[in-house]
Coordinates of all heavy atoms in Angstrom, one line a residue:
M1 N 52.2 -20.4 8.4 CA 52.4 -19.9 7.1 C 51.5 -20.7 6.1 O 51.1 -21.8 6.4 CB 53.9 -20.2 6.7 CG 54.9 -19.4 7.4 SD 55.9 -18.6 6.3 CE 56.8 -17.6 7.3
S2 N 51.2 -20.1 5.0 CA 50.3 -20.7 4.1 C 51.1 -21.6 3.1 O 52.3 -21.3 2.8 CB 49.5 -19.7 3.3 OG 50.3 -18.9 2.5
S3 N 50.5 -22.5 2.5 CA 51.1 -23.4 1.6 C 51.1 -22.7 0.2 O 50.3 -21.8 -0.1 CB 50.4 -24.7 1.4 OG 49.1 -24.5 0.9
P4 N 52.0 -23.1 -0.7 CA 52.1 -22.5 -2.0 C 50.8 -22.8 -2.8 O 50.3 -21.9 -3.6 CB 53.3 -23.2 -2.7 CG 54.1 -23.7 -1.6 CD 53.2 -24.0 -0.5
G5 N 50.2 -23.9 -2.6 CA 48.9 -24.2 -3.3 C 47.8 -23.3 -2.9 O 47.0 -22.8 -3.7
M6 N 47.7 -23.0 -1.6 CA 46.7 -22.1 -1.0 C 46.9 -20.7 -1.6 O 46.0 -20.0 -2.0 CB 46.8 -22.1 0.5 CG 45.7 -21.2 1.1 SD 44.1 -21.9 0.9 CE 44.0 -22.9 2.4
T7 N 48.2 -20.2 -1.6 CA 48.5 -18.9 -2.2 C 48.1 -18.8 -3.7 O 47.5 -17.8 -4.1 CB 50.0 -18.6 -2.0 OG1 50.3 -18.7 -0.6 CG2 50.3 -17.2 -2.5
A8 N 48.4 -19.9 -4.4 CA 48.1 -19.9 -5.8 C 46.6 -19.9 -6.0 O 46.1 -19.2 -6.9 CB 48.7 -21.1 -6.5
A9 N 45.8 -20.6 -5.2 CA 44.4 -20.6 -5.3 C 43.8 -19.2 -5.0 O 42.9 -18.7 -5.7 CB 43.8 -21.6 -4.3
L10 N 44.4 -18.5 -4.0 CA 43.9 -17.2 -3.7 C 44.2 -16.2 -4.7 O 43.3 -15.4 -5.1 CB 44.5 -16.7 -2.3 CG 44.1 -15.4 -1.8 CD1 42.6 -15.3 -1.5 CD2 44.9 -15.0 -0.6
V11 N 45.4 -16.3 -5.3 CA 45.8 -15.3 -6.4 C 44.9 -15.6 -7.6 O 44.4 -14.7 -8.3 CB 47.3 -15.5 -6.7 CG1 47.6 -14.8 -8.0 CG2 48.1 -15.0 -5.6
G12 N 44.6 -16.9 -7.9 CA 43.8 -17.3 -9.0 C 42.4 -16.7 -8.8 O 41.8 -16.2 -9.8
A13 N 41.8 -16.8 -7.7 CA 40.5 -16.3 -7.4 C 40.4 -14.8 -7.6 O 39.5 -14.2 -8.2 CB 40.1 -16.7 -5.9
V14 N 41.4 -14.1 -7.1 CA 41.5 -12.6 -7.2 C 41.6 -12.2 -8.7 O 40.9 -11.3 -9.2 CB 42.6 -12.0 -6.4 CG1 42.8 -10.6 -6.8 CG2 42.4 -12.2 -4.9
L15 N 42.4 -12.9 -9.4 CA 42.5 -12.6 -10.9 C 41.3 -12.9 -11.6 O 40.9 -12.2 -12.5 CB 43.7 -13.4 -11.5 CG 45.1 -12.9 -11.0 CD1 46.2 -13.9 -11.6 CD2 45.4 -11.5 -11.4
A16 N 40.6 -14.0 -11.3 CA 39.3 -14.3 -11.9 C 38.3 -13.2 -11.7 O 37.5 -12.8 -12.6 CB 38.8 -15.7 -11.4
L17 N 38.2 -12.7 -10.4 CA 37.2 -11.7 -10.2 C 37.6 -10.4 -10.8 O 36.8 -9.7 -11.4 CB 37.2 -11.4 -8.6 CG 36.5 -12.5 -7.8 CD1 36.7 -12.1 -6.3 CD2 35.0 -12.6 -8.2
A18 N 38.9 -10.1 -10.9 CA 39.3 -8.9 -11.7 C 39.0 -9.0 -13.1 O 38.6 -8.1 -13.8 CB 40.8 -8.6 -11.5
A19 N 39.2 -10.2 -13.7 CA 38.9 -10.4 -15.1 C 37.4 -10.3 -15.4 O 37.0 -9.7 -16.4 CB 39.4 -11.7 -15.6
T20 N 36.6 -10.8 -14.5 CA 35.1 -10.7 -14.7 C 34.7 -9.2 -14.7 O 33.9 -8.8 -15.5 CB 34.4 -11.4 -13.6 OG1 34.8 -12.8 -13.6 CG2 32.9 -11.4 -13.7
N21 N 35.3 -8.4 -13.8 CA 34.9 -7.0 -13.7 C 35.5 -6.3 -15.0 O 34.9 -5.3 -15.5 CB 35.5 -6.3 -12.4 CG 34.7 -6.8 -11.2 OD1 33.5 -7.2 -11.3 ND2 35.3 -6.7 -10.1
A22 N 36.6 -6.7 -15.5 CA 37.2 -6.0 -16.7 C 36.3 -6.2 -17.9 O 36.2 -5.4 -18.8 CB 38.5 -6.6 -16.9
W23 N 35.6 -7.4 -18.0 CA 34.7 -7.7 -19.1 C 33.4 -6.9 -19.1 O 32.8 -6.7 -20.1 CB 34.5 -9.2 -19.3 CG 35.7 -9.9 -19.7 CD1 36.7 -9.6 -20.4 CD2 36.0 -11.3 -19.3 NE1 37.6 -10.5 -20.6 CE2 37.2 -11.7 -20.0 CE3 35.4 -12.3 -18.5 CZ2 37.8 -12.9 -19.8 CZ3 35.9 -13.5 -18.4 CH2 37.1 -13.8 -19.1
A24 N 33.0 -6.5 -17.9 CA 31.8 -5.8 -17.8 C 32.0 -4.4 -18.2 O 33.0 -3.7 -17.8 CB 31.3 -5.8 -16.3
G25 N 31.1 -3.8 -19.1 CA 31.2 -2.5 -19.5 C 30.7 -1.5 -18.5 O 30.1 -1.9 -17.5
P26 N 30.7 -0.3 -18.8 CA 30.3 0.8 -17.8 C 28.8 0.8 -17.6 O 28.3 1.3 -16.6 CB 30.7 2.1 -18.5 CG 30.9 1.8 -19.9 CD 31.3 0.3 -20.0
C27 N 28.0 0.3 -18.5 CA 26.5 0.3 -18.3 C 25.9 -1.1 -18.2 O 24.7 -1.3 -18.2 CB 25.9 0.9 -19.6 SG 26.3 2.6 -19.8
T28 N 26.8 -2.2 -18.1 CA 26.3 -3.6 -18.1 C 25.2 -3.8 -17.1 O 24.1 -4.3 -17.4 CB 27.4 -4.6 -17.9 OG1 28.4 -4.3 -18.9 CG2 26.9 -6.0 -17.9
S29 N 25.5 -3.3 -15.8 CA 24.5 -3.5 -14.8 C 23.2 -2.7 -15.0 O 22.1 -3.2 -14.7 CB 25.1 -3.2 -13.4 OG 25.4 -1.9 -13.3
D30 N 23.3 -1.5 -15.5 CA 22.1 -0.7 -15.8 C 21.3 -1.3 -16.9 O 20.0 -1.3 -16.9 CB 22.6 0.7 -16.2 CG 23.2 1.5 -15.1 OD1 22.9 1.2 -13.9 OD2 24.0 2.4 -15.4
I31 N 21.9 -1.8 -18.0 CA 21.2 -2.5 -19.0 C 20.5 -3.7 -18.5 O 19.3 -3.9 -18.8 CB 22.1 -2.8 -20.2 CG1 22.7 -1.6 -20.9 CG2 21.5 -3.8 -21.2 CD1 23.8 -1.8 -21.9
A32 N 21.2 -4.5 -17.7 CA 20.6 -5.8 -17.1 C 19.4 -5.4 -16.2 O 18.3 -6.0 -16.3 CB 21.6 -6.5 -16.4
E33 N 19.5 -4.3 -15.5 CA 18.4 -3.9 -14.6 C 17.2 -3.4 -15.4 O 16.1 -3.7 -15.1 CB 19.0 -2.7 -13.7 CG 18.2 -2.3 -12.6 CD 18.8 -1.3 -11.7 OE1 19.9 -1.5 -11.2 OE2 18.2 -0.2 -11.6
F34 N 17.5 -2.6 -16.5 CA 16.4 -2.2 -17.3 C 15.7 -3.3 -18.0 O 14.4 -3.4 -18.0 CB 16.9 -1.1 -18.3 CG 15.9 -0.6 -19.3 CD1 14.7 0.0 -18.8 CD2 16.0 -0.6 -20.6 CE1 13.7 0.5 -19.6 CE2 15.1 -0.1 -21.5 CZ 14.0 0.5 -21.0
E35 N 16.5 -4.3 -18.5 CA 15.8 -5.4 -19.2 C 15.0 -6.3 -18.2 O 14.0 -6.8 -18.5 CB 16.9 -6.3 -19.9 CG 17.5 -5.5 -21.1 CD 18.6 -6.2 -21.8 OE1 19.3 -7.0 -21.1 OE2 18.9 -6.0 -22.9
A36 N 15.5 -6.4 -16.9 CA 14.8 -7.2 -16.0 C 13.5 -6.4 -15.6 O 12.5 -7.1 -15.4 CB 15.7 -7.3 -14.7
A37 N 13.5 -5.1 -15.5 CA 12.3 -4.3 -15.3 C 11.3 -4.5 -16.4 O 10.1 -4.7 -16.2 CB 12.7 -2.9 -15.1
I38 N 11.8 -4.6 -17.6 CA 10.9 -4.8 -18.8 C 10.3 -6.2 -18.6 O 9.1 -6.4 -18.8 CB 11.6 -4.7 -20.1 CG1 12.0 -3.2 -20.4 CG2 10.8 -5.2 -21.3 CD1 12.9 -3.0 -21.5
A39 N 11.1 -7.2 -18.3 CA 10.6 -8.6 -18.2 C 9.5 -8.6 -17.0 O 8.5 -9.3 -17.2 CB 11.7 -9.5 -17.9
R40 N 9.7 -7.9 -16.0 CA 8.8 -7.9 -14.8 C 7.4 -7.2 -15.2 O 6.4 -7.5 -14.7 CB 9.4 -7.2 -13.6 CG 10.4 -8.1 -12.9 CD 10.8 -7.4 -11.5 NE 11.2 -6.1 -11.6 CZ 12.5 -5.7 -11.8 NH1 13.4 -6.6 -11.9 NH2 12.8 -4.4 -11.8
S41 N 7.6 -6.3 -16.2 CA 6.3 -5.5 -16.5 C 5.5 -6.2 -17.6 O 4.4 -5.7 -17.9 CB 6.8 -4.2 -17.0 OG 7.3 -4.2 -18.3
Q42 N 5.9 -7.4 -18.0 CA 5.1 -8.1 -19.1 C 3.6 -8.2 -18.9 O 2.8 -8.2 -19.7 CB 5.8 -9.4 -19.5 CG 7.2 -9.2 -20.1 CD 7.1 -8.3 -21.3 OE1 6.4 -8.5 -22.2 NE2 8.0 -7.3 -21.3
G43 N 3.2 -8.5 -17.6 CA 1.8 -8.7 -17.3 C 1.1 -7.4 -17.1 O -0.1 -7.4 -17.0
N44 N 1.7 -6.3 -17.1 CA 1.1 -5.0 -16.8 C 0.6 -4.4 -18.1 O 1.3 -4.0 -19.0 CB 2.1 -4.0 -16.2 CG 1.5 -2.7 -15.8 OD1 0.4 -2.4 -16.1 ND2 2.3 -1.9 -15.1
P45 N -0.7 -4.2 -18.2 CA -1.3 -3.7 -19.4 C -1.0 -2.2 -19.7 O -1.1 -1.7 -20.8 CB -2.8 -3.9 -19.3 CG -3.0 -4.0 -17.8 CD -1.8 -4.5 -17.2
L46 N -0.5 -1.5 -18.7 CA -0.1 -0.1 -18.9 C 1.3 0.1 -19.2 O 1.8 1.2 -19.5 CB -0.4 0.6 -17.6 CG -1.9 0.6 -17.1 CD1 -2.0 1.4 -15.8 CD2 -2.8 1.2 -18.1
A47 N 2.1 -1.0 -19.2 CA 3.5 -1.0 -19.6 C 3.7 -1.2 -21.0 O 2.9 -2.0 -21.6 CB 4.3 -2.0 -18.7
G48 N 4.8 -0.7 -21.6 CA 5.1 -0.9 -23.0 C 5.7 0.3 -23.6 O 6.0 1.3 -23.0
L49 N 5.9 0.1 -24.9 CA 6.5 1.2 -25.7 C 5.5 2.4 -25.9 O 4.3 2.1 -26.0 CB 7.0 0.6 -27.1 CG 8.1 -0.4 -27.0 CD1 8.3 -1.0 -28.3 CD2 9.4 0.4 -26.6
T50 N 6.1 3.5 -26.0 CA 5.3 4.7 -26.2 C 6.0 5.7 -27.1 O 7.2 5.7 -27.3 CB 4.9 5.4 -24.9 OG1 4.0 6.5 -25.2 CG2 6.2 5.9 -24.2
A51 N 5.3 6.5 -27.8 CA 5.8 7.5 -28.7 C 5.0 8.8 -28.7 O 3.8 8.7 -28.3 CB 5.9 7.0 -30.2
P52 N 5.5 9.9 -29.1 CA 4.7 11.1 -29.1 C 3.6 11.0 -30.1 O 3.6 10.3 -31.0 CB 5.7 12.2 -29.6 CG 7.1 11.6 -29.4 CD 6.9 10.1 -29.5
Q53 N 2.5 11.8 -29.8 CA 1.4 11.8 -30.6 C 1.7 12.4 -32.0 O 2.5 13.3 -32.1 CB 0.2 12.5 -29.9 CG -1.1 12.6 -30.7 CD -2.2 13.2 -29.8 OE1 -2.5 12.6 -28.8 NE2 -2.6 14.3 -30.1
S54 N 1.1 11.9 -33.0 CA 1.5 12.3 -34.3 C 0.7 13.7 -34.7 O -0.2 14.0 -34.0 CB 1.1 11.3 -35.4 OG -0.4 11.3 -35.5
V55 N 1.2 14.4 -35.7 CA 0.5 15.6 -36.1 C -0.9 15.3 -36.6 O -1.9 16.1 -36.3 CB 1.3 16.3 -37.2 CG1 0.6 17.5 -37.8 CG2 2.7 16.7 -36.7
G56 N -1.1 14.2 -37.3 CA -2.4 13.8 -37.8 C -3.4 13.7 -36.5 O -4.5 14.0 -36.7
A57 N -2.9 13.1 -35.5 CA -3.8 12.9 -34.3 C -4.1 14.3 -33.7 O -5.3 14.5 -33.3 CB -3.1 12.1 -33.3
D58 N -3.2 15.2 -33.8 CA -3.5 16.6 -33.3 C -4.5 17.2 -34.2 O -5.3 18.1 -33.7 CB -2.2 17.4 -33.3 CG -1.3 17.1 -32.2 OD1 -1.7 16.5 -31.2 OD2 -0.1 17.4 -32.3
L59 N -4.6 16.9 -35.4 CA -5.6 17.5 -36.3 C -6.9 16.8 -36.3 O -7.8 17.2 -37.0 CB -5.0 17.5 -37.8 CG -3.7 18.3 -38.0 CD1 -3.2 18.1 -39.4 CD2 -4.0 19.8 -37.7
G60 N -7.0 15.8 -35.4 CA -8.3 15.1 -35.3 C -8.4 13.9 -36.3 O -9.5 13.3 -36.3
H61 N -7.4 13.5 -37.0 CA -7.5 12.4 -37.9 C -7.5 11.1 -37.1 O -6.6 10.9 -36.3 CB -6.4 12.4 -38.9 CG -6.3 13.6 -39.8 ND1 -5.2 14.1 -40.4 CD2 -7.3 14.5 -40.0 CE1 -5.5 15.2 -41.0 NE2 -6.7 15.5 -40.8
Q62 N -8.4 10.2 -37.4 CA -8.4 8.9 -36.7 C -7.4 7.9 -37.4 O -7.3 7.9 -38.7 CB -9.8 8.3 -36.8 CG -10.8 9.0 -36.0 CD -10.5 9.0 -34.5 OE1 -10.2 8.0 -33.9 NE2 -10.6 10.2 -33.9
P63 N -6.7 7.2 -36.6 CA -5.7 6.2 -37.2 C -6.4 5.0 -37.8 O -7.5 4.6 -37.3 CB -4.8 5.8 -36.0 CG -5.7 6.0 -34.8 CD -6.6 7.2 -35.2
T64 N -5.9 4.4 -38.7 CA -6.4 3.2 -39.3 C -5.6 2.0 -38.6 O -4.6 2.2 -38.0 CB -6.2 3.0 -40.8 OG1 -4.7 3.0 -41.0 CG2 -6.8 4.2 -41.5
Q65 N -6.2 0.8 -38.7 CA -5.5 -0.4 -38.1 C -4.1 -0.5 -38.7 O -3.1 -0.9 -38.1 CB -6.3 -1.6 -38.3 CG -7.6 -1.7 -37.4 CD -8.3 -2.9 -37.6 OE1 -8.1 -3.7 -38.5 NE2 -9.3 -3.2 -36.7
A66 N -4.0 -0.3 -40.0 CA -2.8 -0.4 -40.7 C -1.7 0.6 -40.2 O -0.6 0.3 -40.0 CB -2.9 -0.3 -42.2
S67 N -2.2 1.9 -40.1 CA -1.2 2.9 -39.6 C -0.8 2.6 -38.1 O 0.3 2.9 -37.8 CB -1.9 4.3 -39.7 OG -2.9 4.5 -38.8
V68 N -1.7 2.1 -37.3 CA -1.3 1.7 -35.9 C -0.3 0.6 -35.9 O 0.8 0.7 -35.2 CB -2.6 1.3 -35.1 CG1 -2.2 0.8 -33.8 CG2 -3.4 2.5 -34.9
K69 N -0.5 -0.4 -36.8 CA 0.4 -1.5 -36.8 C 1.8 -1.0 -37.4 O 2.9 -1.5 -36.8 CB -0.1 -2.6 -37.8 CG -1.0 -3.6 -37.1 CD -1.4 -4.7 -38.1 CE -2.1 -5.8 -37.4 NZ -2.3 -6.9 -38.2
A70 N 1.8 -0.2 -38.4 CA 3.0 0.4 -38.9 C 3.8 1.2 -37.9 O 5.1 1.1 -37.8 CB 2.7 1.2 -40.2
A71 N 3.1 2.0 -37.1 CA 3.7 2.8 -36.1 C 4.3 1.9 -35.0 O 5.4 2.2 -34.5 CB 2.7 3.8 -35.5
Q72 N 3.6 0.9 -34.6 CA 4.1 0.0 -33.6 C 5.3 -0.8 -34.1 O 6.3 -1.0 -33.3 CB 3.0 -1.1 -33.2 CG 1.9 -0.5 -32.4 CD 0.7 -1.4 -32.1 OE1 0.5 -2.3 -32.8 NE2 0.0 -1.1 -31.1
A73 N 5.3 -1.2 -35.3 CA 6.5 -1.9 -35.9 C 7.7 -1.0 -35.9 O 8.8 -1.4 -35.6 CB 6.2 -2.4 -37.3
R74 N 7.5 0.3 -36.3 CA 8.6 1.3 -36.3 C 9.1 1.5 -34.9 O 10.3 1.6 -34.7 CB 8.1 2.6 -36.9 CG 8.1 2.7 -38.4 CD 7.9 4.1 -38.9 NE 6.8 4.8 -38.3 CZ 5.6 4.8 -38.8 NH1 5.2 4.1 -39.8 NH2 4.6 5.5 -38.1
L75 N 8.2 1.6 -34.0 CA 8.6 1.9 -32.6 C 9.4 0.7 -32.0 O 10.5 0.9 -31.4 CB 7.4 2.1 -31.7 CG 7.6 2.6 -30.3 CD1 8.4 3.8 -30.3 CD2 6.3 2.8 -29.6
K76 N 9.0 -0.6 -32.3 CA 9.7 -1.7 -31.9 C 11.1 -1.8 -32.5 O 12.1 -2.1 -31.8 CB 9.0 -3.0 -32.2 CG 7.8 -3.2 -31.3 CD 7.0 -4.5 -31.8 CE 5.8 -4.7 -30.9 NZ 5.1 -6.0 -31.3
K77 N 11.2 -1.5 -33.8 CA 12.5 -1.5 -34.5 C 13.4 -0.4 -33.9 O 14.6 -0.7 -33.7 CB 12.2 -1.2 -36.0 CG 13.4 -1.3 -36.9 CD 13.0 -1.1 -38.3 CE 14.3 -1.2 -39.2 NZ 14.0 -1.0 -40.6
T78 N 12.9 0.7 -33.7 CA 13.7 1.9 -33.1 C 14.2 1.5 -31.7 O 15.3 1.8 -31.4 CB 12.8 3.2 -33.1 OG1 12.4 3.5 -34.4 CG2 13.6 4.3 -32.5
F79 N 13.3 0.9 -30.9 CA 13.7 0.5 -29.5 C 14.8 -0.5 -29.6 O 15.8 -0.4 -28.9 CB 12.5 0.0 -28.8 CG 12.8 -0.4 -27.4 CD1 13.0 0.5 -26.4 CD2 12.9 -1.7 -27.1 CE1 13.3 0.1 -25.1 CE2 13.2 -2.1 -25.8 CZ 13.4 -1.2 -24.8
A80 N 14.6 -1.5 -30.4 CA 15.6 -2.6 -30.5 C 16.9 -2.1 -31.0 O 18.0 -2.4 -30.5 CB 15.1 -3.7 -31.5
A81 N 16.9 -1.1 -32.0 CA 18.1 -0.5 -32.5 C 18.8 0.3 -31.4 O 20.1 0.3 -31.2 CB 17.9 0.3 -33.7
T82 N 18.1 1.0 -30.6 CA 18.6 1.9 -29.5 C 19.2 0.9 -28.4 O 20.4 1.2 -28.0 CB 17.5 2.7 -28.9 OG1 16.9 3.5 -29.9 CG2 18.0 3.6 -27.8
M83 N 18.6 -0.1 -28.1 CA 19.2 -1.0 -27.1 C 20.4 -1.7 -27.7 O 21.4 -1.9 -26.9 CB 18.1 -2.1 -26.7 CG 17.0 -1.6 -25.8 SD 17.7 -0.8 -24.2 CE 18.3 -2.3 -23.4
A84 N 20.4 -2.1 -29.0 CA 21.6 -2.6 -29.6 C 22.8 -1.6 -29.5 O 23.9 -2.1 -29.3 CB 21.3 -3.0 -31.0
R85 N 22.5 -0.4 -29.8 CA 23.6 0.6 -29.7 C 24.1 0.7 -28.3 O 25.4 0.8 -28.1 CB 23.1 2.0 -30.3 CG 23.1 2.1 -31.7 CD 22.9 3.5 -32.2 NE 21.6 4.1 -31.7 CZ 20.4 4.0 -32.2 NH1 20.3 3.3 -33.3 NH2 19.4 4.6 -31.7
A86 N 23.2 0.7 -27.3 CA 23.6 0.8 -25.9 C 24.5 -0.4 -25.6 O 25.6 -0.2 -24.9 CB 22.4 0.8 -25.0
R87 N 24.1 -1.6 -26.0 CA 25.0 -2.8 -25.7 C 26.3 -2.7 -26.4 O 27.4 -3.0 -25.9 CB 24.3 -4.0 -26.2 CG 23.2 -4.4 -25.2 CD 22.6 -5.8 -25.6 NE 21.2 -5.9 -25.2 CZ 20.2 -5.6 -25.9 NH1 20.3 -5.3 -27.2 NH2 18.9 -5.7 -25.4
R88 N 26.3 -2.2 -27.7 CA 27.6 -2.0 -28.4 C 28.5 -1.0 -27.8 O 29.7 -1.3 -27.6 CB 27.3 -1.6 -29.9 CG 28.5 -1.6 -30.8 CD 28.2 -1.4 -32.2 NE 27.6 -0.1 -32.4 CZ 26.4 0.1 -32.9 NH1 25.6 -0.9 -33.2 NH2 25.9 1.3 -33.0
Y89 N 28.0 0.2 -27.4 CA 28.8 1.1 -26.7 C 29.3 0.6 -25.3 O 30.4 0.8 -25.0 CB 28.0 2.4 -26.4 CG 27.8 3.2 -27.7 CD1 26.6 3.9 -27.9 CD2 28.8 3.5 -28.6 CE1 26.3 4.7 -29.0 CE2 28.6 4.2 -29.8 CZ 27.4 4.8 -30.0 OH 27.2 5.6 -31.1
D90 N 28.4 -0.2 -24.7 CA 28.9 -0.8 -23.4 C 30.0 -1.7 -23.6 O 31.0 -1.7 -22.9 CB 27.7 -1.5 -22.8 CG 28.0 -2.1 -21.4 OD1 28.5 -1.3 -20.5 OD2 27.7 -3.3 -21.2
A91 N 29.9 -2.5 -24.6 CA 31.0 -3.5 -25.0 C 32.3 -2.8 -25.3 O 33.4 -3.3 -25.0 CB 30.6 -4.4 -26.1
Q92 N 32.2 -1.6 -25.9 CA 33.3 -0.8 -26.3 C 33.9 0.0 -25.2 O 34.9 0.6 -25.3 CB 33.0 0.2 -27.5 CG 32.6 -0.5 -28.8 CD 32.0 0.4 -29.7 OE1 31.7 1.6 -29.5 NE2 31.8 0.0 -31.0
G93 N 33.2 0.0 -24.0 CA 33.6 0.8 -22.9 C 33.3 2.3 -23.1 O 33.9 3.1 -22.3
N94 N 32.4 2.6 -23.9 CA 32.0 4.0 -24.2 C 30.8 4.4 -23.2 O 29.7 4.2 -23.6 CB 31.6 4.1 -25.7 CG 31.2 5.5 -26.0 OD1 30.9 6.4 -25.2 ND2 31.2 5.8 -27.3
A95 N 31.2 4.8 -22.1 CA 30.1 5.2 -21.0 C 29.2 6.3 -21.5 O 27.9 6.1 -21.3 CB 30.8 5.6 -19.8
P96 N 29.6 7.4 -22.1 CA 28.7 8.4 -22.5 C 27.7 7.9 -23.5 O 26.5 8.2 -23.5 CB 29.6 9.6 -23.0 CG 30.9 9.4 -22.4 CD 31.1 7.9 -22.2
G97 N 28.2 7.2 -24.5 CA 27.4 6.6 -25.6 C 26.4 5.7 -25.0 O 25.2 5.8 -25.4
C98 N 26.8 4.8 -24.2 CA 25.9 3.8 -23.6 C 24.8 4.5 -22.7 O 23.6 4.1 -22.9 CB 26.7 2.8 -22.7 SG 25.7 1.6 -21.9
T99 N 25.2 5.4 -21.9 CA 24.3 6.1 -21.1 C 23.2 6.8 -21.9 O 22.0 6.9 -21.7 CB 25.0 7.1 -20.1 OG1 25.9 6.3 -19.4 CG2 24.1 7.8 -19.3
R100 N 23.7 7.6 -23.0 CA 22.8 8.3 -23.9 C 21.8 7.4 -24.5 O 20.6 7.7 -24.5 CB 23.6 9.0 -25.0 CG 22.8 9.8 -25.9 CD 23.6 10.4 -27.0 NE 24.2 9.4 -27.9 CZ 25.6 9.2 -28.0 NH1 26.4 10.0 -27.3 NH2 26.0 8.3 -28.8
E101 N 22.2 6.2 -25.0 CA 21.3 5.3 -25.7 C 20.3 4.6 -24.7 O 19.2 4.4 -25.0 CB 22.1 4.3 -26.5 CG 22.9 4.8 -27.6 CD 22.1 5.6 -28.7 OE1 20.9 5.2 -28.9 OE2 22.6 6.6 -29.2
L102 N 20.8 4.3 -23.6 CA 20.0 3.6 -22.5 C 18.9 4.6 -22.0 O 17.8 4.2 -21.9 CB 20.8 3.1 -21.4 CG 20.1 2.3 -20.3 CD1 19.4 1.1 -21.0 CD2 21.1 1.8 -19.3
T103 N 19.3 5.9 -21.9 CA 18.3 6.9 -21.5 C 17.3 7.0 -22.5 O 16.1 7.2 -22.2 CB 19.1 8.2 -21.2 OG1 20.0 8.0 -20.2 CG2 18.1 9.3 -20.8
A104 N 17.7 7.1 -23.8 CA 16.7 7.2 -24.9 C 15.7 6.0 -24.9 O 14.6 6.2 -25.1 CB 17.4 7.3 -26.2
A105 N 16.3 4.8 -24.6 CA 15.4 3.6 -24.6 C 14.4 3.7 -23.5 O 13.3 3.3 -23.6 CB 16.3 2.4 -24.5
K106 N 14.9 4.2 -22.3 CA 14.1 4.3 -21.1 C 12.9 5.3 -21.3 O 11.8 5.1 -20.8 CB 14.9 4.7 -19.9 CG 15.7 3.5 -19.4 CD 16.6 4.0 -18.1 CE 17.3 2.9 -17.5 NZ 18.1 3.3 -16.4
R107 N 13.2 6.3 -22.2 CA 12.2 7.3 -22.4 C 11.0 6.7 -23.3 O 10.0 7.3 -23.3 CB 12.8 8.6 -23.2 CG 13.3 9.5 -22.2 CD 13.7 10.8 -22.9 NE 15.1 10.8 -22.9 CZ 15.9 11.1 -23.9 NH1 15.4 11.4 -25.0 NH2 17.2 11.0 -23.8
T108 N 11.3 5.7 -24.0 CA 10.3 5.1 -24.9 C 9.6 3.9 -24.3 O 8.7 3.3 -25.0 CB 10.9 4.7 -26.3 OG1 11.9 3.7 -26.1 CG2 11.5 5.9 -27.0
Y109 N 9.9 3.5 -23.1 CA 9.3 2.4 -22.5 C 8.7 2.7 -21.2 O 9.4 3.2 -20.3 CB 10.3 1.2 -22.3 CG 9.6 -0.1 -22.2 CD1 9.5 -1.0 -23.3 CD2 9.1 -0.6 -21.0 CE1 8.8 -2.1 -23.2 CE2 8.4 -1.8 -20.9 CZ 8.3 -2.6 -22.0 OH 7.7 -3.8 -22.0
I110 N 7.4 2.7 -21.1 CA 6.7 2.9 -19.8 C 6.7 1.7 -19.0 O 6.2 0.6 -19.4 CB 5.2 3.3 -20.0 CG1 5.2 4.6 -20.8 CG2 4.5 3.5 -18.7 CD1 3.8 5.0 -21.3
L111 N 7.2 1.8 -17.8 CA 7.3 0.6 -16.8 C 6.1 0.6 -15.8 O 5.6 1.6 -15.5 CB 8.6 0.5 -16.1 CG 9.8 0.2 -17.1 CD1 11.1 0.4 -16.3 CD2 9.7 -1.2 -17.6

């Protein structure tokens, strides 16, 4: 037979594991995996944020340094906001919202 102390330790371990899983949202592992992939891609010159080509580029207009910087800043801000929404939905347990935002973030980042 087991001792009461051993039983209490086993029950405590099971409850601790259950509590850890309860705190994780529906997308926690997907978000962590995506962020790890971004971190691994840092040395890759072909990896990074991307956006559709502008109408001006379609018309043959050359971008200025200022317009490129402004577009990059907007893209970074949009990406950060999308990831923040994904984390917020994940914390709320909102799987559809989290999945939608994470998918949008993945579409804007070339790995």
